Amino acid sequence: MKPGAFGYRRAESAEDAVRLFLEVGEGAQYLAGGQSLMATLNFRVSEAGTLIDLTRIESLKGIEQRGNAIHIGALTTHASVARSSLVRKRLPLIAEAYVHVAHPAIRNRGTIGGSIALGDPASEMPACMLALDAVIHANGPAGKRSIPIDDFYLGLYETALEEGELLTGIEIPLPAEGARHGFEEIARRHGDYAMAGLAVMTTGRRARMAYFAISDRALRSTAAEDAFVSGASPAECAEVATREMYVFGDLNASENMKRHLAGVLMRRVLLSLDGGASA
Ligand SMILES: Cc1cc2nc3c(=O)[nH]c(=O)nc-3n(C[C@H](O)[C@H](O)[C@H](O)COP(=O)(O)OP(=O)(O)OC[C@H]3O[C@@H](n4cnc5c(N)ncnc54)[C@H](O)[C@@H]3O)c2cc1C
């Protein structure tokens, strides 16, 4: 199918993008890799008055270490993040998760910022950002601000970004010495959106455990984290997560199936940590 008619503006910088968004007004929408947006426009599930193309904004691309954190520009493609030696070495959770994100053609155009801003509940990156305790940087009509990832996802495709606010980058604190990570996802076919998935970071007895494709958004199981910190076994943590998790069924799996998979994933990931998968 083809999309309805829409206008097109190309932004040269983050500030220019926000200015264009305000100038266009109603119907303005940012375009990053277009891998989700163009599909919904083509299927006429959504419509845009004018697309504001972000893809030429070079200052929003790239990955670098800044002090004790890794900064990833919002317009960095999935493929660039996945093959970054810095990411592979210092943030192996992300590199591991990327094996499961879509297919090469989509990873070549889709961006990490687009994925995080869209907030698809079945996407891998939002859960990884929760596990890694990332900070989201944004620039909008009211200026620049930083949003802790714990405050970012509010509901189904709903984030803390305000109207016209552009996600400019992601800051990920470097995991502490001795940190361990675990990642598991269950999908019908490799590259499909997940039926259920879990990303975990632990340091000593501290833990951040974030599910995706289980709820209406990427969501931590703080109950399982607390159980882990108190020394509960993987089976006990799985039992707690299964019982406490807010589960939301979708086309890929019913609520009951997802609740069951939440427990399976928790057990698998925590056992893999005990097997010594070090971050
Ligand atoms: C067949 C298929 C399979 C896929 N499988 C997976 C998968 O397994 N896992 C997965 O995670 N994803 C998957 N995707 C989605 C893919 O990862 C997209 O790249 C991603 O969801 C959106 O990134 P994008 O850069 O293409 O954003 P776009 O499609 O351009 O934009 C998506 C939305 O985010 C907004 N947006 C984009 N960038 C910004 C920004 N910087 N600031 C504010 N708002 C912004 C846009 O306005 C739009 O509303 C799949 C896509 C397809 C077509």
Side-chain angles (χ1 to χ4, degrees), residues 26-70:
E26 202 179 326
Q29 197 157 176
Y30 292 128
L31 171 70
Q35 297 305 294
S36 296
L37 180 54
M38 291 315 297
T40 61
L41 291 178
N42 285 341
F43 282 114
R44 304 206 179 199
V45 177
S46 69
E47 53 183 44
T50 299
L51 295 183
I52 297 168
D53 186 354
L54 308 172
T55 52
R56 302 286 175 92
I57 309 180
E58 294 303 321
S59 59
L60 296 187
K61 297 175 187 171
I63 303 164
E64 63 178 7
Q65 186 167 344
R66 294 184 189 167
N68 285 331
I70 306 277

Side-chain angles (χ1 to χ4, degrees), residues 78-111:
H78 296 309
S80 302
V81 181
R83 64 171 174 256
S84 153
S85 52
L86 189 57
V87 168
R88 286 173 171 275
K89 185 161 175 232
R90 306 306 305 268
L91 302 171
L93 173 68
I94 292 183
E96 217 169 279
Y98 260 124
V99 173
H100 302 270
V101 175
H103 308 283
I106 293 158
R107 293 199 294 268
N108 281 338
R109 293 205 63 92
T111 65

Side-chain angles (χ1 to χ4, degrees), residues 17-249:
V18 175
R19 185 187 60 75
L20 285 172
F21 195 99
L22 290 173
E23 190 182 303
V24 168
E26 202 179 326
Q29 197 157 176
Y30 292 128
L31 171 70
Q35 297 305 294
S36 296
L37 180 54
M38 291 315 297
T40 61
L41 291 178
N42 285 341
F43 282 114
R44 304 206 179 199
V45 177
S46 69
E47 53 183 44
T50 299
L51 295 183
I52 297 168
D53 186 354
L54 308 172
T55 52
R56 302 286 175 92
I57 309 180
E58 294 303 321
S59 59
L60 296 187
K61 297 175 187 171
I63 303 164
E64 63 178 7
Q65 186 167 344
R66 294 184 189 167
N68 285 331
I70 306 277
H71 184 275
I72 306 180
L75 267 288
T76 314
T77 63
H78 296 309
S80 302
V81 181
R83 64 171 174 256
S84 153
S85 52
L86 189 57
V87 168
R88 286 173 171 275
K89 185 161 175 232
R90 306 306 305 268
L91 302 171
L93 173 68
I94 292 183
E96 217 169 279
Y98 260 124
V99 173
H100 302 270
V101 175
H103 308 283
I106 293 158
R107 293 199 294 268
N108 281 338
R109 293 205 63 92
T111 65
I112 189 165
S115 177
I116 292 170
L118 180 63
D120 189 309
S123 277
E124 290 82 357
M125 282 309 116
C128 288
M129 296 307 134
L130 277 168
L132 288 160
D133 202 10
V135 174
I136 303 301
H137 294 297
N139 192 347
K144 294 182 182 174
R145 65 178 179 135
S146 302
I147 309 163
I149 192 73
D150 282 337
D151 300 334
F152 192 72
Y153 290 110
L154 305 179
L156 189 61
Y157 293 103
E158 193 188 344
T159 72
L161 288 175
E162 301 284 353
E163 177 80 358
E165 208 169 19
L166 182 71
L167 194 162
T168 52
I170 307 117
E171 187 183 320
I172 305 169
L174 286 172
E177 200 64 37
R180 293 183 298 166
H181 71 278
F183 184 91
E184 281 277 346
E185 112 165 32
I186 296 168
R188 289 186 193 278
R189 295 173 308 183
H190 184 80
D192 279 3
Y193 274 111
M195 291 168 72
L198 176 64
V200 169
M201 286 296 304
T202 69
T203 313
R205 296 309 300 175
R206 287 183 58 232
R208 291 179 67 93
M209 305 172 168
Y211 281 107
F212 56 100
I214 283 284
S215 194
D216 60 347
R217 72 201 103 143
L219 205 57
R220 286 168 60 198
S221 174
T222 50
E225 291 171 5
D226 291 345
F228 179 84
V229 169
S230 341
S233 68
E236 287 164 339
C237 292
E239 202 275 319
V240 169
T242 307
R243 187 162 23 92
E244 301 287 335
M245 200 61 197
Y246 168 52
V247 178
F248 194 84

Side-chain angles (χ1 to χ4, degrees), residues 8-19:
Y8 174 87
R9 306 289 293 271
R10 181 187 293 158
E12 304 296 339
S13 66
E15 290 70 24
D16 192 34
V18 175
R19 185 187 60 75

